[in-house]
Amino acid sequence: MSEHMSYADAGVDVDEGARAVDAIKGAAASTDRPGVMEGLGGFGCLFDAAPFKAMEHPVLVSGTDGVGTKLALAQRLGRNDTVGEDLVAMCADDVVVTGAEPLFFLDYVAVGKLRADEMAQVVGGIAAGCRKAGCALIGGEMAEHPGVMAADDYDLAGFCVGVVDKPAMLGKDNVREGDVILGLASSGIHSNGYSLVRAAVTDRMDDAGLLEPRAELGGESLADALLAPTAIYSGAVVRALAAGAPVHALAHITGGGITENLDRAMPAHLDALVERGADGSVAWDVPPVIGYVSRAAGLTADEAFKTFNMGVGMAVVCAPGDAERVSAAFAEQGFPTFAVGRVVPGEGKVRYTA
């Protein structure tokens, strides 16, 4: 006779899953926006596309990403309330570079052992990110993976969809020689380069060392500096564009740093020339934690600029005569700009003055 074994015996707690769903319903509801037709609970997520009829040529823009190994540090320190913001930022800020307004967001959470309170913290962060981005958390999935993942482990993936009217799209086709490149400040390392961060810094340090205030970080601890959530620019970008900011292109500075992201906003016959000193110095503020990790890893300037955002979370390309107007529009949204470089003849690459 076969031994009786329930789903719970196999490691999947359906009741805890139901508690987790109940715990996140309020967070999801807090992100509602025009177009949302149904809350959590359906098999599919519904969003009303009728308003798109007012556009000349509506184009849907989608993006997907994760948080990466930054999650390992968050899990180690039991800080689960901000990684959801990282998740939204990595997706919504990719979508908005086309000029698209992020409409809705879905998440996928895989866990070794489901704990409703922990998941409520994670999804609460996702909801906070959606509110900043201006998109609705319209659905998602939590999957318990016993035997595949460790009990204390979880991973996140996000999916964002936005819409833009084709005549208003931003991109490299709009970029011209002589355009200026402005920066929007990053909030720290964001969500990229954490495999290096862990290998060079956090894996060599105990928790007490991570929590200790450090003068070189302005009195902040490494834990706080490294787990600062990724800045979310999409809401500010949408509002600045709606106010008439004449932007040509945007570049979200993520994995690969300035070197491997700013070039994505350049046409094949132009380069982005970034102002940089021979020692790697720049005229804008670089978060101290980026310098700390770069020194700990012994990075050269070229390596650092190819790994981290170096203080530039989003790059904005516009005509030189429009720079003041563009800067004013972003400053009004809480993101003052600073000069990063200019567009020069080239081959679609990023170059540095030194």
Side-chain angles (χ1 to χ4, degrees), residues 248-306:
H248 287 171
L250 296 166
H252 185 199
I253 310 303
T254 57
I258 292 176
T259 304
E260 294 192 353
N261 283 284
L262 187 50
D263 61 340
R264 296 161 75 176
M266 295 295 112
H269 65 290
L270 296 174
D271 282 354
L273 182 64
V274 175
E275 297 288 342
R276 190 180 77 181
D279 60 352
S281 60
V282 291
W284 61 87
D285 292 332
V286 178
V289 68
I290 293 179
Y292 183 99
V293 175
S294 296
R295 290 189 297 272
L299 299 183
T300 65
D302 282 345
E303 289 172 330
F305 277 74
K306 197 174 182 179

Side-chain angles (χ1 to χ4, degrees), residues 9-317:
D9 293 331
V12 177
D13 190 337
V14 176
D15 292 335
E16 188 69 3
R19 285 190 289 273
V21 171
D22 286 341
I24 66 176
K25 282 182 177 178
S30 73
T31 69
D32 275 358
R33 54 156 292 155
V36 176
M37 296 178 63
E38 187 174 300
L40 299 183
F43 288 102
C45 305
L46 306 179
F47 194 91
D48 189 355
F52 303 170
K53 294 177 181 178
M55 294 183 174
E56 180 180 335
H57 187 156
V59 176
L60 293 178
V61 183
S62 61
T64 183
D65 210 334
V67 180
T69 59
K70 186 176 185 176
L71 286 177
L73 181 59
Q75 291 163 13
R76 172 181 166 182
L77 296 175
R79 297 191 181 185
N80 307 299
D81 57 339
T82 59
V83 289
E85 290 191 42
D86 292 298
L87 183 66
V88 175
M90 300 307 293
C91 299
D93 286 343
D94 276 355
V95 165
V96 82
V97 298
T98 62
E101 176 183 3
L103 299 173
F104 56 86
F105 188 88
L106 296 94
D107 60 44
Y108 178 83
V109 185
V111 302
K113 178 66 177 176
L114 187 60
R115 297 177 178 88
D117 291 345
E118 182 179 78
M119 287 302 100
Q121 292 174 9
V122 172
V123 178
I126 294 173
C130 285
R131 291 192 296 271
K132 291 181 180 180
C135 59
L137 177 56
I138 199 172
E141 171 72 5
M142 281 185 292
E144 201 167 13
H145 290 169
V148 176
M149 302 175 69
D152 293 332
D153 196 15
Y154 64 83
D155 199 8
L156 305 177
F159 314 87
C160 186
V161 174
V163 66
V164 63
D165 203 351
K166 189 174 181 180
M169 284 183 67
L170 308 181
K172 62 179 65 178
D173 291 344
N174 302 324
V175 176
R176 300 289 180 265
E177 180 182 347
D179 278 358
V180 295
I181 304 167
L182 306 175
L184 305 182
S186 71
S187 56
I189 294 182
H190 284 185
S191 301
N192 301 105
Y194 276 81
S195 294
L196 177 60
V197 169
R198 291 169 56 225
V201 179
T202 63
D203 285 355
R204 304 181 180 189
M205 194 174 294
D206 61 18
D207 290 358
L210 290 174
L211 296 170
E212 175 189 350
R214 296 178 178 273
E216 60 266 52
L217 300 180
E220 194 174 31
S221 70
L222 268 171
D224 289 341
L226 290 172
L227 290 177
T230 304
I232 296 177
Y233 306 99
S234 55
V237 169
V238 168
R239 292 188 294 271
L241 295 176
V247 174
H248 287 171
L250 296 166
H252 185 199
I253 310 303
T254 57
I258 292 176
T259 304
E260 294 192 353
N261 283 284
L262 187 50
D263 61 340
R264 296 161 75 176
M266 295 295 112
H269 65 290
L270 296 174
D271 282 354
L273 182 64
V274 175
E275 297 288 342
R276 190 180 77 181
D279 60 352
S281 60
V282 291
W284 61 87
D285 292 332
V286 178
V289 68
I290 293 179
Y292 183 99
V293 175
S294 296
R295 290 189 297 272
L299 299 183
T300 65
D302 282 345
E303 289 172 330
F305 277 74
K306 197 174 182 179
T307 304
F308 300 122
N309 61 58
M310 304 309 292
V312 183
M314 183 79 76
V316 183
V317 184

